[in-house]
Amino acid sequence: LALALRRNKLFLFGCSSVLRRNLSVLGSTRSMASKTPVGFIGLGNMGSPMAKNLIKNGYPVIATDVFPECCKELQDLGAQVVDSPAYVAEKADRIITMLPSSPNVIEVYTGSNGILKKVKKGTLLVDSSTIDPAVAREMAVAAEKMGAVFMDAPVSGGVGAASMAKLTFMVGGLEEEFKAAEELFTCMGANVIYCGQVGTGQAAKLCNNMLLSIGMIGTAETMNLGIRLGLDPKLLAKILNMSSGCCWSSDTYNPVPGVMEGVPSANNYQGGFGTTLMAKDLGLAQNTATNTRTPIPLGSLAHQIYRVMCSRGYANKDFSSVFQFLREEEAQ
Amino acid sequence: LALALRRNKLFLFGCSSVLRRNLSVLGSTRSMASKTPVGFIGLGNMGSPMAKNLIKNGYPVIATDVFPECCKELQDLGAQVVDSPAYVAEKADRIITMLPSSPNVIEVYTGSNGILKKVKKGTLLVDSSTIDPAVAREMAVAAEKMGAVFMDAPVSGGVGAASMAKLTFMVGGLEEEFKAAEELFTCMGANVIYCGQVGTGQAAKLCNNMLLSIGMIGTAETMNLGIRLGLDPKLLAKILNMSSGCCWSSDTYNPVPGVMEGVPSANNYQGGFGTTLMAKDLGLAQNTATNTRTPIPLGSLAHQIYRVMCSRGYANKDFSSVFQFLREEEAQ
Amino acid sequence: LALALRRNKLFLFGCSSVLRRNLSVLGSTRSMASKTPVGFIGLGNMGSPMAKNLIKNGYPVIATDVFPECCKELQDLGAQVVDSPAYVAEKADRIITMLPSSPNVIEVYTGSNGILKKVKKGTLLVDSSTIDPAVAREMAVAAEKMGAVFMDAPVSGGVGAASMAKLTFMVGGLEEEFKAAEELFTCMGANVIYCGQVGTGQAAKLCNNMLLSIGMIGTAETMNLGIRLGLDPKLLAKILNMSSGCCWSSDTYNPVPGVMEGVPSANNYQGGFGTTLMAKDLGLAQNTATNTRTPIPLGSLAHQIYRVMCSRGYANKDFSSVFQFLREEEAQ
Amino acid sequence: LALALRRNKLFLFGCSSVLRRNLSVLGSTRSMASKTPVGFIGLGNMGSPMAKNLIKNGYPVIATDVFPECCKELQDLGAQVVDSPAYVAEKADRIITMLPSSPNVIEVYTGSNGILKKVKKGTLLVDSSTIDPAVAREMAVAAEKMGAVFMDAPVSGGVGAASMAKLTFMVGGLEEEFKAAEELFTCMGANVIYCGQVGTGQAAKLCNNMLLSIGMIGTAETMNLGIRLGLDPKLLAKILNMSSGCCWSSDTYNPVPGVMEGVPSANNYQGGFGTTLMAKDLGLAQNTATNTRTPIPLGSLAHQIYRVMCSRGYANKDFSSVFQFLREEEAQ
């Protein structure tokens, strides 16, 4: 029944290729069958809680990381820790990778001890790193040559969402292979969106974050301008939010201290989504735009602004701290 | 009862200084008393339907315009047409001005035949033009010297909303004078927002339109990038709209043909809010930012982009046509 | 003879409307006749040495400033200090003004104790402030109504050049009145350029400084990029300077410490042309561009960058410190 | 003697790593010895005249191109045409490549019929394509594994300079290998600049072109602004060129028709350096900046502007046509 329900929900989102699901009703069905091992490569801030959620859901996990000390906690929870991606590929036919950047992904897949050195035919390879869509497509081609299947499935949601299995996965790959990956995503996240061919998961994530950064900087400079023109910040936020200026950064994550509660601007820009991470994603968006010869004037300027902020003390603050960066009054 | 209701609603919007009202229930209360004349200066595309709505609501209107032919239709509806703003000021103690730009406002108020040459003590002067907040403040000072009261009350909503009395007024001025103006606004609009001291009505409008333009260009370049990366535009819009990239331009006024119905992008960018008008408002926002030494990097770039579009054939298209402007594929 | 020579030189610059002159050969001719008094209003960092050079050249100076203490030194040198611009206008038929910004100029000319309250017919008014060309034109119209003649003559060269009478004057106004002003300019500067009708002096200055700022930021980011790509900064500067990337900021005022000697970058960005002043001039350029609906994408972004720098501790550093602003490595 | 002279000149440029040479005095020395064959891969608009100049100077040339018809003319001049880069590598121990973009370079060097499949130990590989410096470094590493030596040597100067052997080569690679390449460069170009380690030739070229594009757009918008403010364009150019606004685009290649003769702006923007090529180089500069996390706000915006121009009909016009792009008056 639960499975049938799940199938029905697949198409509820209005478009056959999108699904959105609340996992809370499904939890009880998961541990019923004995499960095949899942490989997990990359046990950093994000990868570690994701792998733990697989273990919690009854999956034997075979893990590795370039920093062996990252594997310790997972080993204590029962994961088998091995020496290299190649070993993981020998032992698991579904492998998830969660790595910092494109070069790491290239190394882990195609390096001398990489997955593809030992991958078995039919293995499902899921990369949840945020990387250049072009690299995702290269990995898919390389995997296909070895008879394996590659999907890109970057996430949104941060470390907190990773711990609570509340991530959103944006998935690119062959639709017919999507099912096999889906049961794993649902252990680690709350939403799964099928985006199309390989690389479109990355594309969707980069597009969203680029527009997010534009909305955030735009909100910051608009609020700052309004305040200097004599408007009360709370009132201005209300006017914008009932008008055509409304965006997620103005109504859900307002960057001006005192306007909203429970957001990083209310907490000295601690927590949230760091400026460094935004700069990284904007760099990837920039690369894809340059490579496809797509003009992105505002996205490009947003990128430069976050770049400058990174070197002026904002690297580890939430990306809404751009308000603070632009705000300070000039000395008269 | 209706009045009591209105009073209650005044504060429903959560902040004592903001009111939002649905006028449909209130219509019956308006024509009860005999009404004093209202002056109206500037009978262009916006001013003309606004003045008509005053007549419809039983107000005697005394009107003028530099182009006498603009007054004809209003005259046929019963308005008294006079030769100059000074004459209007002699005959009316509430005057609304709706003019194209700051220099026109300065001329109409302080010129040799301007309002202030003949204004009576206690007259309420309401300027609904969109102009530089600093000019609004200058007019208020000049009016005060003559014993008159000035308010800025720019509108959002366009010609259609003006005809249907659905405009939104953003009002700056003394709160205690606001009531006298309010009954006029409610004949011409559906929402009235009190923003603070003189000039803040203009400030609120410019802030909103600046953020709107940033969101629109950002949406256009993001959608274009996503499409070139292989994403289906409708799917991408859905992903953005359920995510942190969401903004009014992505979810209510999407600039990509085929994504939404009933918006200018579905109709070859006809109608809507013209690129020229957006460029004008961004020019005003730019001026206020420069004068207050406020950095607005994205707003400034948005201004330049609309400026270029104006001279490349987009002047009269809706401002969402920036998608088309950025979209075209390069010849290989 | 000297005069004849001077006349000949007037047209040497290749274009009948431009003159460039080396004053060293002319010094001896100046104190021969008894001279009529010159009014001087605005005795700040620039105005004070300019007025001193008039005194040195034998002109009786009648001066005023809103800050009386600024007049002390000049008084000791023999200047007559009076209370207001109106008094200056009573006593001098050539008046030079050197003020911080447009509002000061408006006040000094048209205020209640302003020059135009008492100006004599035929008086020559020369404004050397850097202001909006539109304000210059307004002042010219107001002066003309009183029978006086107004010229704009902003300077380039800074406090050092003002002291050494090495300023460059860019002059807008009636060509036939230019001669009367010329002998004053030559006491205070080394170059005088006639630019055209009133306002074009300001226009020329703003255009130059806008392009200068673009070249400077461009040089800073290019040098920084090259250094990060492994190029030696001196070598890169040489390559640029023998190639099409060459500009004044790369070959005469290089912003990278260690590349050149005798420039602010060699002295921790002390001295030179302050970031605040550049931001001010860019604000004026921005205003003129907005008012003439001229797209200036790079000029506009340069303006925003200097604006941000002003509030991040660079206000009083030389404008070449943008290299430092953009340079700092991100923490890894 | 000639050789000795050449050695002396090596250091004339003021910095031991830079050499600049006038080849006219050296021509007679070249054909004295019998010469070893030179491989040439990529016979497009640039490669073809470069290869011809090698033949003219007595070098046997072994050539290939993916489009065999490109080889015909060279074959008629005596070149040996072969089927693939691998064959070229079998037969020549100095090979020059001149290809459109990074992917072509990767394919020609590391593809299945690529140079590195058959390269002999000690072969000198010189890539004159304009590509990402990072790709140049990758090729150098790959070449070194095969015992070969790789240099990047992109050129400036266009098709005309290629035909007349007037190119400038910017060279990155091991200094001790530079000599072997030098005699080839001098057959094809007038200047050779040694820039440092592998990749720095590309870096220098990209840096120069980025600053060039910034200067050009800056000049275009400044000239346009000045003209709208009433300045004569020739006079404005003169003022800029004697002032701190001066740059190569204002004084050598002015983009305003009528200001200079013999430049593309005097010939409807025909000839010169096409907008498409500038957009490509800016894309590479952008990539290097993103990868090194270097903020390039103006370079990035210049990139976007040329990107938009490419799709709005300016692709094949000279890059100075940005004046025309920004110039057009808005319809009133």
Side-chain angles (χ1 to χ4, degrees):
Chain A
L1 179 66
L3 255 170
L5 249 172
R6 204 188 305 180
R7 292 276 149 75
N8 281 341
K9 286 207 169 194
L10 263 170
F11 304 101
L12 277 185
F13 196 69
C15 168
S16 71
S17 54
V18 173
L19 79 137
R20 191 177 200 179
R21 190 151 7 123
N22 186 322
L23 298 178
S24 58
V25 300
L26 304 173
S28 59
T29 69
R30 284 205 211 98
S31 49
M32 291 191 300
S34 86
K35 287 163 174 168
T36 60
V38 176
F40 206 106
I41 301 169
L43 299 170
N45 291 337
M46 291 295 289
S48 185
M50 288 167 72
K52 281 184 209 165
N53 280 322
L54 289 172
I55 294 175
K56 272 189 212 162
N57 278 273
Y59 289 95
V61 166
I62 298 159
T64 194
D65 192 284
V66 280
F67 298 106
E69 63 275 21
C70 292
C71 304
K72 190 123 207 302
E73 199 188 1
L74 213 65
Q75 197 164 22
D76 294 345
L77 291 172
Q80 181 185 353
V81 175
V82 297
D83 277 355
S84 74
Y87 279 110
V88 174
E90 280 186 335
K91 303 195 170 207
D93 54 14
R94 287 186 290 184
I95 302 174
I96 296 168
T97 52
M98 189 62 177
L99 300 157
S101 67
S102 299
N104 305 109
V105 170
I106 292 170
E107 178 67 21
V108 160
Y109 280 84
T110 66
S112 54
N113 283 309
I115 292 170
L116 298 183
K117 283 283 185 273
K118 296 284 185 178
V119 74
K120 292 176 281 183
K121 281 203 187 205
T123 298
L124 177 66
L125 304 168
V126 175
D127 180 40
S128 283
S129 321
T130 297
I131 60 166
D132 193 318
V135 173
R137 284 191 296 267
E138 281 172 33
M139 294 304 104
V141 168
E144 200 185 359
K145 281 184 188 161
M146 310 300 294
V149 172
F150 178 92
M151 295 190 140
D152 56 309
V155 300
S156 69
V159 172
S163 298
M164 295 182 296
K166 294 275 188 194
L167 294 168
T168 294
F169 287 87
M170 285 160 275
V171 187
L174 292 173
E175 201 161 4
E176 58 269 30
E177 307 285 350
F178 181 57
K179 299 281 153 52
E182 199 191 329
E183 68 169 88
L184 300 182
F185 295 143
T186 59
C187 300
M188 301 180 287
N191 295 302
V192 185
I193 306 167
Y194 177 71
C195 298
Q197 59 188 359
V198 168
T200 55
Q202 300 292 353
K205 176 163 182 189
L206 296 180
C207 282
N208 182 72
N209 282 11
M210 184 172 90
L211 188 49
L212 168 61
S213 74
I214 293 168
M216 178 53 81
I217 300 175
T219 300
E221 61 190 58
T222 300
M223 293 293 299
N224 190 24
L225 178 60
I227 292 166
R228 292 202 183 170
L229 294 174
L231 287 159
D232 173 77
K234 279 193 173 183
L235 173 60
L236 176 54
K238 274 187 186 152
I239 293 172
L240 296 173
N241 291 339
M242 63 185 270
S243 308
S244 50
C246 183
C247 64
W248 186 86
S249 296
S250 70
D251 77 356
T252 304
Y253 206 86
N254 200 290
V256 181
V259 167
M260 296 181 70
E261 292 184 2
V263 290
S265 63
N267 189 29
N268 201 22
Y269 304 106
Q270 301 301 304
F273 184 56
T275 290
T276 301
L277 291 169
M278 181 54 96
K280 178 206 161 196
D281 287 1
L282 287 169
L284 291 169
Q286 179 77 69
N287 282 348
T288 65
T290 300
N291 295 340
T292 57
R293 305 191 300 182
T294 308
I296 51 162
L298 298 194
S300 200
L301 183 52
H303 177 208
Q304 302 305 314
I305 291 169
Y306 278 112
R307 202 94 270 170
V308 171
M309 286 176 64
C310 281
S311 54
R312 307 224 68 78
Y314 291 83
N316 298 316
K317 293 193 179 190
D318 179 68
F319 78 114
S320 65
S321 62
V322 65
F323 175 75
Q324 200 180 51
F325 177 71
L326 295 173
R327 168 74 179 145
E328 201 172 318
E329 297 280 345
E330 294 177 22
Q332 292 286 329
Chain B
L1 178 67
L3 256 168
L5 249 171
R6 205 189 303 180
R7 291 275 151 74
N8 282 340
K9 287 209 168 193
L10 264 170
F11 303 100
L12 278 185
F13 196 70
C15 169
S16 71
S17 54
V18 174
L19 79 137
R20 193 179 198 179
R21 192 155 1 125
N22 185 322
L23 297 178
S24 58
V25 300
L26 306 173
S28 59
T29 68
R30 283 204 213 100
S31 49
M32 291 191 301
S34 88
K35 287 162 176 171
T36 61
V38 176
F40 206 105
I41 300 169
L43 299 169
N45 291 336
M46 292 295 288
S48 186
M50 289 168 71
K52 281 182 209 166
N53 280 322
L54 289 173
I55 293 175
K56 270 189 211 162
N57 279 273
Y59 288 94
V61 166
I62 298 159
T64 194
D65 192 285
V66 280
F67 299 106
E69 64 275 20
C70 293
C71 304
K72 190 119 208 304
E73 199 188 1
L74 213 66
Q75 198 165 23
D76 295 346
L77 292 170
Q80 182 184 353
V81 175
V82 297
D83 276 356
S84 74
Y87 278 111
V88 174
E90 280 186 335
K91 303 195 170 204
D93 54 14
R94 287 187 290 184
I95 302 175
I96 295 168
T97 51
M98 188 64 177
L99 299 157
S101 67
S102 299
N104 305 110
V105 170
I106 293 170
E107 177 67 22
V108 159
Y109 279 83
T110 67
S112 56
N113 283 307
I115 291 169
L116 297 183
K117 283 284 185 272
K118 297 282 186 180
V119 73
K120 292 176 283 184
K121 281 202 187 206
T123 298
L124 176 66
L125 303 168
V126 175
D127 181 39
S128 283
S129 321
T130 297
I131 60 168
D132 193 318
V135 173
R137 284 191 295 267
E138 281 173 35
M139 294 305 104
V141 168
E144 200 184 358
K145 282 182 187 161
M146 309 300 296
V149 173
F150 178 93
M151 295 190 139
D152 57 307
V155 300
S156 68
V159 173
S163 298
M164 295 182 296
K166 295 275 188 193
L167 294 168
T168 295
F169 286 87
M170 283 159 276
V171 186
L174 292 172
E175 200 162 3
E176 58 270 28
E177 307 285 349
F178 181 56
K179 299 280 153 53
E182 199 191 329
E183 68 168 88
L184 301 180
F185 295 143
T186 58
C187 300
M188 301 181 287
N191 295 302
V192 185
I193 306 166
Y194 178 71
C195 298
Q197 59 188 358
V198 168
T200 54
Q202 300 293 351
K205 176 163 181 188
L206 296 181
C207 282
N208 183 72
N209 283 10
M210 184 172 91
L211 187 49
L212 168 60
S213 74
I214 292 168
M216 178 54 80
I217 301 175
T219 301
E221 60 190 58
T222 300
M223 292 293 299
N224 190 24
L225 178 60
I227 293 167
R228 291 202 184 171
L229 295 174
L231 285 160
D232 173 76
K234 280 192 172 183
L235 172 61
L236 176 55
K238 274 187 186 151
I239 294 171
L240 296 173
N241 292 338
M242 64 185 271
S243 308
S244 51
C246 184
C247 64
W248 187 87
S249 296
S250 70
D251 77 356
T252 304
Y253 206 86
N254 199 290
V256 181
V259 167
M260 294 181 71
E261 292 185 1
V263 290
S265 63
N267 188 29
N268 200 23
Y269 303 106
Q270 300 301 303
F273 185 56
T275 290
T276 302
L277 291 169
M278 181 54 96
K280 179 206 160 195
D281 287 2
L282 288 169
L284 290 169
Q286 178 78 69
N287 282 348
T288 65
T290 300
N291 295 340
T292 57
R293 305 192 298 181
T294 310
I296 49 162
L298 298 193
S300 201
L301 182 51
H303 177 209
Q304 303 305 315
I305 291 170
Y306 278 113
R307 202 94 270 169
V308 171
M309 285 177 65
C310 282
S311 55
R312 305 225 69 79
Y314 291 83
N316 298 315
K317 293 192 179 191
D318 180 67
F319 79 114
S320 64
S321 61
V322 65
F323 175 74
Q324 201 181 52
F325 178 71
L326 296 173
R327 168 72 179 146
E328 200 172 320
E329 297 280 347
E330 294 178 22
Q332 292 285 332
Chain C
L1 179 68
L3 256 168
L5 252 172
R6 204 188 305 180
R7 289 278 149 74
N8 282 340
K9 287 211 170 191
L10 264 171
F11 303 100
L12 278 184
F13 195 70
C15 168
S16 70
S17 54
V18 174
L19 81 137
R20 193 177 199 180
R21 191 153 4 123
N22 186 322
L23 297 178
S24 56
V25 301
L26 305 173
S28 59
T29 70
R30 283 205 211 99
S31 49
M32 292 190 300
S34 89
K35 287 163 176 172
T36 60
V38 176
F40 207 105
I41 302 170
L43 300 168
N45 291 337
M46 291 295 289
S48 186
M50 288 167 72
K52 280 183 210 165
N53 280 322
L54 289 172
I55 292 174
K56 271 189 213 164
N57 279 272
Y59 289 93
V61 166
I62 300 158
T64 194
D65 192 285
V66 281
F67 299 106
E69 64 274 21
C70 292
C71 305
K72 191 123 205 306
E73 199 188 359
L74 213 65
Q75 199 163 22
D76 295 346
L77 292 172
Q80 180 184 356
V81 175
V82 298
D83 277 355
S84 72
Y87 279 110
V88 174
E90 279 186 334
K91 303 194 171 208
D93 52 14
R94 287 187 289 184
I95 302 174
I96 296 167
T97 51
M98 189 63 177
L99 301 157
S101 65
S102 299
N104 305 110
V105 171
I106 294 171
E107 178 66 21
V108 159
Y109 280 83
T110 67
S112 55
N113 284 308
I115 291 170
L116 298 184
K117 282 281 186 274
K118 297 282 186 182
V119 74
K120 291 177 281 185
K121 281 200 189 210
T123 299
L124 176 65
L125 304 168
V126 176
D127 181 38
S128 283
S129 320
T130 297
I131 60 168
D132 193 318
V135 173
R137 284 190 296 267
E138 281 172 35
M139 293 306 103
V141 169
E144 200 185 358
K145 281 183 189 160
M146 309 301 295
V149 173
F150 178 93
M151 295 190 139
D152 56 308
V155 301
S156 69
V159 172
S163 299
M164 296 182 296
K166 294 275 189 193
L167 294 170
T168 294
F169 287 86
M170 284 159 274
V171 187
L174 292 173
E175 201 162 3
E176 58 269 29
E177 307 285 349
F178 181 57
K179 301 279 153 53
E182 201 191 329
E183 67 169 88
L184 301 180
F185 295 143
T186 59
C187 300
M188 301 181 285
N191 295 302
V192 186
I193 306 167
Y194 178 72
C195 299
Q197 59 188 357
V198 168
T200 54
Q202 299 292 351
K205 175 162 182 189
L206 297 180
C207 282
N208 183 71
N209 282 10
M210 185 172 91
L211 187 50
L212 168 60
S213 74
I214 292 169
M216 178 53 81
I217 301 175
T219 300
E221 59 191 59
T222 299
M223 293 293 299
N224 190 24
L225 177 60
I227 293 167
R228 292 203 183 171
L229 294 174
L231 286 159
D232 173 76
K234 279 193 172 182
L235 173 61
L236 176 55
K238 273 189 187 150
I239 294 172
L240 296 174
N241 291 340
M242 62 184 271
S243 310
S244 50
C246 183
C247 63
W248 186 88
S249 296
S250 69
D251 76 357
T252 304
Y253 206 85
N254 199 290
V256 181
V259 167
M260 295 180 70
E261 292 184 2
V263 291
S265 63
N267 188 28
N268 200 23
Y269 305 106
Q270 300 302 302
F273 185 56
T275 291
T276 301
L277 291 170
M278 182 53 97
K280 179 207 160 193
D281 287 1
L282 288 170
L284 290 170
Q286 178 77 69
N287 282 348
T288 65
T290 300
N291 294 341
T292 56
R293 305 190 300 181
T294 309
I296 49 161
L298 298 193
S300 202
L301 182 51
H303 177 209
Q304 302 306 313
I305 290 169
Y306 278 112
R307 203 94 269 171
V308 171
M309 284 176 66
C310 281
S311 54
R312 305 224 70 78
Y314 291 83
N316 298 317
K317 294 192 179 190
D318 179 68
F319 79 115
S320 65
S321 62
V322 64
F323 175 74
Q324 200 180 53
F325 178 71
L326 295 173
R327 168 73 179 145
E328 200 172 320
E329 298 279 346
E330 294 178 22
Q332 293 285 331
Chain D
L1 179 68
L3 256 169
L5 250 173
R6 205 188 302 180
R7 289 276 151 74
N8 283 340
K9 287 210 171 193
L10 263 170
F11 303 99
L12 278 184
F13 195 69
C15 170
S16 70
S17 55
V18 172
L19 79 138
R20 194 178 197 180
R21 190 152 7 118
N22 186 322
L23 298 178
S24 56
V25 301
L26 305 172
S28 59
T29 70
R30 284 205 211 97
S31 48
M32 292 189 301
S34 88
K35 286 162 176 173
T36 60
V38 176
F40 207 105
I41 301 170
L43 299 170
N45 291 335
M46 290 296 289
S48 184
M50 289 166 72
K52 281 183 209 166
N53 280 321
L54 289 173
I55 292 175
K56 272 189 212 165
N57 279 273
Y59 288 93
V61 166
I62 299 160
T64 193
D65 193 285
V66 280
F67 299 107
E69 63 275 21
C70 292
C71 304
K72 190 122 207 306
E73 200 188 358
L74 213 66
Q75 199 164 21
D76 294 347
L77 292 171
Q80 180 184 355
V81 175
V82 298
D83 276 353
S84 74
Y87 279 110
V88 174
E90 279 186 336
K91 303 192 171 210
D93 55 14
R94 286 187 291 183
I95 302 175
I96 296 168
T97 51
M98 189 61 176
L99 300 157
S101 66
S102 299
N104 305 111
V105 171
I106 294 170
E107 178 67 21
V108 159
Y109 280 83
T110 67
S112 56
N113 283 308
I115 291 169
L116 299 183
K117 282 283 185 274
K118 297 281 186 181
V119 74
K120 292 176 281 185
K121 281 200 191 214
T123 298
L124 176 66
L125 304 168
V126 175
D127 181 39
S128 283
S129 321
T130 297
I131 60 167
D132 192 319
V135 173
R137 285 190 294 267
E138 280 173 36
M139 294 305 103
V141 169
E144 200 185 359
K145 281 184 188 161
M146 308 301 294
V149 173
F150 178 93
M151 296 189 140
D152 56 309
V155 299
S156 69
V159 172
S163 298
M164 295 182 295
K166 295 275 189 193
L167 294 169
T168 295
F169 287 85
M170 284 158 275
V171 187
L174 292 173
E175 201 162 2
E176 59 268 29
E177 307 285 348
F178 180 57
K179 300 279 154 50
E182 201 191 329
E183 67 169 88
L184 302 181
F185 295 143
T186 58
C187 300
M188 300 181 286
N191 295 302
V192 186
I193 306 166
Y194 178 71
C195 298
Q197 59 187 359
V198 168
T200 55
Q202 300 293 351
K205 174 161 184 190
L206 297 180
C207 282
N208 183 71
N209 282 10
M210 185 172 90
L211 187 49
L212 168 61
S213 75
I214 292 169
M216 178 53 80
I217 301 176
T219 300
E221 61 190 59
T222 299
M223 293 293 299
N224 190 24
L225 177 60
I227 293 167
R228 292 202 184 172
L229 294 174
L231 286 160
D232 173 76
K234 279 193 171 183
L235 173 60
L236 176 55
K238 273 186 187 152
I239 294 171
L240 297 174
N241 292 340
M242 63 185 270
S243 310
S244 51
C246 183
C247 64
W248 186 87
S249 296
S250 70
D251 77 357
T252 304
Y253 207 85
N254 199 290
V256 181
V259 167
M260 295 180 70
E261 292 184 2
V263 291
S265 64
N267 188 27
N268 201 24
Y269 303 106
Q270 301 301 303
F273 185 56
T275 291
T276 301
L277 290 170
M278 181 54 95
K280 179 207 160 194
D281 287 1
L282 289 169
L284 290 169
Q286 179 77 70
N287 281 350
T288 64
T290 300
N291 294 341
T292 56
R293 304 190 300 180
T294 309
I296 50 161
L298 298 193
S300 200
L301 183 50
H303 177 208
Q304 303 304 314
I305 290 170
Y306 278 112
R307 203 95 268 170
V308 170
M309 285 176 65
C310 281
S311 55
R312 305 224 70 78
Y314 292 83
N316 297 317
K317 294 192 180 190
D318 179 68
F319 79 114
S320 65
S321 62
V322 65
F323 176 73
Q324 199 181 52
F325 178 71
L326 295 173
R327 168 75 179 144
E328 201 172 318
E329 297 278 346
E330 294 179 22
Q332 294 284 332

